[in-house]
Amino acid sequence: MPSPAAMSSFDNNGAASNSHFNNSNPTSSASSSSNTRPRQPPNPSVHDEDEPDEIDFFDTVDAPDILGDDPLRDDTPLSFKRKQKPGLFSQGGRLLSALTGGGSPYKAPQSSPPGSERLGHLPSSGKDGAPLDWYVEGPGRRVGYEDLTAIDWIFEYTKERQRLRVLASSAAGLLGYIQQFLDASQVWVVLVLTGLAVGALAAAIDVATDWLGDIKYGFCSNEDGGAFYLSKTSCCIGYEEQAKCTGWKPWSTALGIHSAGGKWFIEYFVYLVLAVAFALSAAVLVKSYAIYAKHSGIPEIKTVLGGFIIRRFLGVWTLITKSLGLVLAVASGMWLGKEGPLVHVACCCANLFIKLFPSINSNEARKREVLSAAAASGISVAFGSPIGGVLFSLEQLSYYFPDKTMWQSFVCAMTAAVVLQAFDPYRSGKLVLYQVTYSRGWHGFELVPYVILGILGGIYGGLFIKANMFVARWKKSASWLPSPIVQVVLVAILTALINYPNNYMRAQCSDLVSNLFSECSKLLDDQFGLCKTGAASAGTIVLLIFASVLGFGLAAITFGLQIPAGIILPSMAIGALSGRAVGIIMEIWQRNHPGFIIFRSCEPDIPCITPGTYAIIGAAAALGGVTRMTVSIVVIMFELTGALTYVLPIMVAVMISKWVGDAFSRRGIYESWIHFNEYPFLDNSEEMPIPDIPAAQIMTRIEDLVVLTATGHTIASLTAILDAHPYRGFPVVSDPRDAILLGYISRAELAYNLHTSTQPPRSLPPETEAFFSHQPLADPRATLDLRPWMDQTPLTLPSRSRLHLAVTYFQKLGLRYVLFVDRGVLQGLLTKKDVWYVLNGAEETRRTSGGGTGGDGGGGGLDGGMMDGVGVGVMGAGVAREDGEGEAEGLLRVERGGLVGLDDGDPGSPGPDAGSIL
């Protein structure tokens, strides 16, 4: 998978990419004609690094390798050979210099004077005092990202390469190497700390969930050394059957009720009250403290790892609320799981430790690499499957997953699993409650029922996604529905009323799955009577199938409520119920017809069919059908069973399940929720159909763009433009007639400069001239030069390019926008939101109303003509069209508003949470 910055066409200072734009525009071509321009004495106050209004968000230091004198005027021959560093003993005194970091006969070239070399804020005069436009070309300086915007992957990786280059150039002697080692070890410190925290937190969640879940049935008395805070399993240690445990007191016994009907009624009532109380508490916690703690969090994590900013989604309050809410929600007995939300918990822990290291925290691209690695620890502790967690992060979560991230994921997942094993929350030596082993293998004829289970799993996945999305759309459109908290209470009441009378649904999902997976010869406590004599009967099969159907309905209405909820464990439970039913059918068939031709391979006096293996294969098939994962599910199930012999049947079932599920829809449950929420996520691994049309057919054409000209602005006019248009950025052209592209400036950088320039110490008046091209005669103290904050090397494509190439740019590089030019002349712009709507089948294009679309420099919706004195080029409003030829081709835009969480092109207001980025 290529890096989002691997295809970048400019170097760190971006000097070469758009030099033809400047050469085409005489007003901004200082580097090509500096010898003919009048000399201008250098003014050290032009770019004073101490000015408070010029805060350098591009936090770099001196970079002598790219920021020295003008390379166009240097007569030194270029060499592309790597210079060998002198050894420690190559010259006298070298060892002492290396140890102390002091002087050496091998000195690095001197850089420019301090205070003038920062990238994007560079000296304005060369050796002879002549202005050099060379030094202001590049990706520009940046301020922090706003909430609900996309990050610039290329800029972030460019910034990281610059930081590492500066660190290497300043690493003198042994102390320098130690500094580099400490810098490189920061990621590993974060991952190890994350593994320790996730393992401990997962153990605490397991213990608390187990105890609260058992409280619905009774409590542990002080008999036999018990205590109230112990779960039923911990209270009854030493008993082969929990039914014989004297220390555990059901609520009917504690209340002194002895009649059979009275016992059933009072225990039903207590179960109902506590289940609703737990669900209500979880909903109130989420509503009051962290709204981002709802759902599983995996769709949002995929979006964040894809380069989107969601403030407070990985914050401390989200971590606390998610952990407590998850305990309460799972303990309520609702059909949800904690496996998916544990991934969100793991990422929150990683984000908390990332804040300790500014070099990682200040780079959004590096932060996402660490979060991708940390996500593996969530699945590791959820399933006791470190390798499966790494593959889950690779297959399901990560947008960009280089080789180093796989190694980092492995370390983090292993650390979390070791810590969980050390805590041993179940006091059984197992990482998870449903971890089992099988003593018998499988027979060739069993491949047929395994394939049937795969088909059933795919059908379940397809139907579940459709049902869950139908419920979500219905809730979104039905304005008469009660508040989210009331919805949670109603579903909790319905779930408790249905669960308790059904023996299989009454228990927690983890206990149910554990018993369904078990092999009868190794099961000591048969809580559900699946292994007793006569259990293999038609009545048991009907009850299992009935429970799976009810579980399907309850899970479909539960997943999506405003509480922490995962879908992995409910899907496994539903698949295990149906799988166990198929296994019992095969067991009855073989027992009644042992001489049938397909059963002749069975050994005598040894059970031929193991229903528990059908349960685990059914669970894998159901999980594959709902998530559309393959490799990671196989590995997770293999690590759960530890039986290498069952890898092939699991692979067959998962493969069939994915094929059948894809026949319904190619989107899994997480992708469906991303699409439902309209998150700006372009999966670079998904094979989606791309229309074979020119990119110009859907781009925002220049006549529909609000663009800025190089000159003719004042601070007041630019402020008026920002107030009038909500776009995230604006292309900059030479003039409206030629429209030579000079660059692109983001709304955040433009607004920041306009604000700070009017504040002390500069305190420029509103009528101050502002410009985007080199003005040799301008007084830097009385004008505003915006070139250092403009991206003068944006990625561009010819307007004749096919849409497939443009989509590849967005997917592989994680771009926010692409500009289309022909011979340097701006033709149009395509944003990530435009691409998202095209690939996700927008039902209709929409006409832009007065305020515009809010796209990245998107269409204006203004009347034609030039706005006097502000240098804004606007051409008519235009109508969105999907078809058309030549100059009649239109643009595909979407109206503003709707769901919070749109892409970089949406100017929507900040979400309910405000605070620091991530």
Side-chain angles (χ1 to χ4, degrees):
M1 190 181 300
S3 163
M7 295 171 61
S8 172
S9 62
F10 54 80
D11 56 9
N12 284 339
N13 64 349
S17 286
N18 283 335
S19 59
H20 60 283
F21 296 155
N22 291 330
N23 293 336
S24 301
N25 181 14
T27 65
S28 61
S29 180
S31 62
S32 61
S33 58
S34 59
N35 293 331
T36 63
R37 296 195 181 278
R39 291 179 178 268
Q40 179 178 346
N43 189 345
S45 65
V46 174
H47 294 296
D48 188 0
E49 291 294 336
D50 296 328
E51 289 184 12
D53 63 324
E54 293 289 337
I55 301 175
D56 194 352
F57 286 88
F58 191 71
D59 189 16
T60 60
V61 293
D62 298 353
D65 51 345
I66 67 170
L67 302 179
D69 295 331
D70 183 5
L72 296 181
R73 299 176 53 145
D74 192 357
D75 296 331
T76 305
L78 296 177
S79 174
F80 295 93
K81 294 182 178 179
R82 183 183 296 274
K83 294 183 179 180
Q84 298 295 329
K85 293 185 177 181
L88 290 178
F89 303 97
S90 59
Q91 296 259 348
R94 175 65 175 166
L95 178 59
L96 180 61
S97 299
L99 294 175
T100 61
S104 170
Y106 301 93
K107 294 184 178 179
Q110 295 296 322
S111 61
S112 301
S116 62
E117 306 90 335
R118 292 178 182 262
L119 186 59
H121 195 187
L122 306 172
S124 60
S125 60
K127 295 178 180 178
D128 55 359
L132 290 177
D133 196 38
W134 173 277
Y135 291 109
V136 294
E137 291 187 3
R141 298 167 62 188
R142 305 293 171 87
V143 298
Y145 296 103
E146 299 179 9
D147 191 22
L148 303 178
T149 58
I151 70 169
D152 189 337
W153 286 92
I154 293 177
F155 176 81
E156 296 295 334
Y157 278 112
T158 302
K159 183 170 68 172
E160 177 62 13
R161 288 196 299 269
Q162 174 70 4
R163 188 188 70 84
L164 293 178
R165 188 178 295 112
V166 172
L167 182 65
S169 65
S170 61
L174 184 60
L175 295 179
Y177 287 111
I178 293 176
Q179 183 182 5
Q180 286 183 294
F181 172 77
L182 293 177
D183 180 78
S185 64
Q186 290 180 1
V187 172
W188 300 104
V189 173
V190 171
L191 293 175
V192 171
L193 291 176
T194 300
L196 295 174
V198 172
L201 202 54
I205 290 175
D206 288 339
V207 172
T209 302
D210 211 19
W211 177 69
L212 279 181
D214 290 340
I215 282 293
K216 300 196 303 293
Y217 312 102
F219 64 95
C220 185
S221 64
N222 294 329
E223 297 182 17
D224 296 336
F228 183 77
Y229 56 83
L230 295 178
S231 65
K232 187 175 183 180
T233 303
S234 300
C235 185
C236 298
I237 288 181
Y239 290 90
E240 291 187 357
E241 297 183 18
Q242 293 185 357
K244 300 179 180 179
C245 178
T246 58
W248 182 259
K249 301 294 183 183
W251 290 111
S252 57
T253 304
L255 296 176
I257 299 175
H258 302 290
S259 64
K263 285 183 178 181
W264 190 88
F265 177 80
I266 194 64
E267 290 177 2
Y268 196 173
F269 178 77
V270 174
Y271 177 93
L272 176 64
V273 171
L274 292 180
V276 174
F278 293 156
L280 175 63
S281 301
V284 171
L285 271 177
V286 171
K287 177 70 174 179
S288 303
Y289 295 99
I291 194 66
Y292 286 129
K294 64 181 180 180
H295 301 178
S296 71
I298 289 184
E300 289 77 13
I301 289 175
K302 286 171 67 71
T303 307
V304 168
L305 295 182
F308 198 58
I309 297 290
I310 305 179
R311 293 179 180 173
R312 294 292 181 90
F313 175 70
L314 299 177
V316 177
W317 278 109
T318 303
L319 172 61
I320 297 173
T321 307
K322 189 88 171 187
S323 302
L324 295 177
L326 189 59
V327 170
L328 293 167
V330 174
S332 69
M334 300 176 72
W335 277 74
L336 49 85
K338 61 177 180 291
E339 284 70 18
L342 279 176
V343 176
H344 188 186
V345 170
C347 290
C348 288
C349 292
N351 186 68
L352 184 64
F353 293 118
I354 285 174
K355 295 182 183 296
L356 302 176
F357 302 97
S359 63
I360 304 176
N361 191 47
S362 61
N363 192 294
E364 296 295 332
R366 288 193 71 196
K367 182 186 296 185
R368 276 152 180 77
E369 290 184 6
V370 176
L371 292 176
S372 296
S377 63
I379 293 297
S380 174
V381 295
F383 292 101
S385 173
I387 302 176
V390 175
L391 294 176
F392 183 90
S393 178
L394 170 63
E395 185 177 4
Q396 180 63 247
L397 296 177
S398 299
Y399 184 84
Y400 171 52
F401 201 90
D403 292 340
K404 64 177 181 179
T405 305
M406 179 174 291
W407 168 231
Q408 293 167 356
S409 301
F410 178 80
V411 171
C412 188
M414 179 197 65
T415 305
V418 169
V419 173
L420 184 63
Q421 181 76 54
F423 279 103
D424 191 14
Y426 297 108
R427 298 190 180 184
S428 61
K430 298 178 180 180
L431 292 175
V432 289
L433 187 61
Y434 40 86
Q435 193 169 1
V436 296
T437 55
Y438 296 117
S439 59
R440 296 190 294 270
W442 56 283
H443 303 83
F445 66 86
E446 291 182 284
L447 275 178
V448 175
Y450 293 159
V451 169
I452 294 175
L453 287 176
I455 296 174
L456 293 177
I459 294 174
Y460 156 76
L463 294 179
F464 179 85
I465 293 173
K466 288 185 177 297
N468 186 241
M469 289 295 100
F470 172 80
V471 172
R473 286 190 294 268
W474 174 71
K475 289 194 298 184
K476 185 178 180 180
S477 61
S479 58
W480 53 269
L481 286 176
S483 66
I485 294 181
V486 177
Q487 294 178 27
V488 171
V489 172
L490 293 177
V491 174
I493 293 174
L494 177 64
T495 303
L497 290 174
I498 293 177
N499 277 356
Y500 193 83
N502 192 307
N503 188 38
Y504 298 115
M505 302 176 67
R506 183 186 308 175
Q508 296 291 112
C509 275
S510 56
D511 292 323
L512 174 63
V513 170
S514 177
N515 279 266
L516 291 173
F517 283 0
S518 297
E519 185 179 347
C520 284
S521 61
K522 295 184 177 182
L523 185 63
L524 299 178
D525 187 11
D526 186 11
Q527 300 181 20
F528 302 99
L530 291 172
C531 296
K532 66 181 181 182
T533 303
S537 62
T540 303
I541 296 172
V542 171
L543 288 177
L544 287 170
I545 296 177
F546 183 62
S548 65
V549 172
L550 290 177
F552 175 92
L554 292 175
I557 63 175
T558 302
F559 189 69
L561 294 176
Q562 196 167 287
I563 52 174
I567 194 57
I568 293 179
L569 189 58
S571 296
M572 291 178 62
I574 294 169
L577 285 167
S578 57
R580 188 86 183 197
V582 173
I584 293 177
I585 292 174
M586 293 296 297
E587 184 181 16
I588 294 175
W589 187 11
Q590 190 273 334
R591 185 184 58 195
N592 294 335
H593 303 86
F596 193 63
I597 184 171
I598 63 173
F599 299 132
R600 291 179 181 177
S601 59
C602 296
E603 300 180 10
D605 302 328
I606 297 178
C608 182
I609 305 296
T610 305
T613 61
Y614 289 79
I616 200 165
I617 290 173
L623 187 56
V626 77
T627 64
R628 307 297 160 80
M629 295 187 300
T630 53
V631 179
S632 53
I633 291 180
V634 173
V635 174
I636 287 172
M637 292 300 173
F638 162 67
E639 291 186 273
L640 277 176
T641 61
L644 187 62
T645 55
Y646 283 95
V647 170
L648 181 59
I650 294 174
M651 290 177 66
V652 171
V654 170
M655 177 187 67
I656 298 296
S657 172
K658 179 172 173 56
W659 284 348
V660 175
D662 286 344
F664 287 86
S665 171
R666 297 192 63 86
R667 294 194 190 102
I669 185 64
Y670 301 129
E671 291 77 18
S672 297
W673 272 95
I674 289 175
H675 183 262
F676 175 77
N677 290 328
E678 296 186 357
Y679 292 144
F681 181 76
L682 296 178
D683 194 346
N684 60 356
S685 61
E686 185 178 353
E687 297 180 0
M688 59 180 65
I690 300 176
D692 187 19
I693 58 176
Q697 189 167 324
I698 64 169
M699 73 180 182
T700 305
R701 301 177 66 82
I702 186 172
E703 52 266 25
D704 296 313
L705 282 173
V706 175
V707 300
L708 303 179
T709 54
T711 57
H713 304 280
T714 63
I715 293 179
S717 66
L718 289 176
T719 303
I721 294 171
L722 291 178
D723 293 339
H725 305 290
Y727 310 129
R728 292 293 188 186
F730 304 90
V732 180
V733 298
S734 58
D735 57 76
R737 178 172 300 179
D738 295 334
I740 302 297
L741 179 65
L742 301 182
Y744 182 93
I745 186 166
S746 176
R747 181 186 189 89
E749 282 73 42
L750 182 58
Y752 170 79
N753 276 271
L754 296 178
H755 174 73
T756 55
S757 62
T758 58
Q759 304 299 317
R762 300 196 68 182
S763 301
L764 296 176
E767 61 272 12
T768 300
E769 180 186 359
F771 49 85
F772 295 91
S773 63
H774 180 60
Q775 303 297 313
L777 300 180
D779 184 358
R781 292 167 296 185
T783 57
L784 182 59
D785 186 357
L786 293 169
R787 288 177 299 160
W789 297 87
M790 177 177 66
D791 183 4
Q792 299 182 65
T793 57
L795 284 180
T796 61
L797 285 173
S799 61
R800 297 179 299 277
S801 301
R802 308 302 292 181
L803 179 61
H804 187 278
L805 178 61
V807 171
T808 302
Y809 266 54
F810 280 101
Q811 289 179 327
K812 303 302 181 183
L813 301 182
L815 301 180
R816 297 184 291 177
Y817 57 87
V818 168
L819 297 168
F820 292 88
V821 298
D822 288 336
R823 299 180 181 272
V825 178
L826 178 65
Q827 300 296 322
L829 176 144
L830 186 63
T831 69
K832 190 175 184 180
K833 181 167 63 177
D834 295 334
V835 173
W836 188 90
Y837 270 91
V838 170
L839 297 185
N840 289 276
E843 296 179 0
E844 61 179 2
T845 55
R846 308 174 186 177
R847 189 185 183 109
T848 319
S849 57
T853 67
D856 262 301
L862 296 176
D863 294 331
M866 280 284 297
M867 295 181 64
D868 294 337
V870 297
V872 182
V874 292
M875 317 294 176
V879 180
R881 297 183 298 273
E882 287 190 276
D883 52 5
E885 297 293 332
E887 295 301 321
E889 293 175 354
L891 90 115
L892 179 65
R893 293 179 299 195
V894 294
E895 59 189 1
R896 203 157 38 94
L899 188 67
V900 172
L902 294 180
D903 70 328
D904 186 59
D906 186 10
S909 59
D913 293 305
S916 60
I917 296 174
L918 287 185

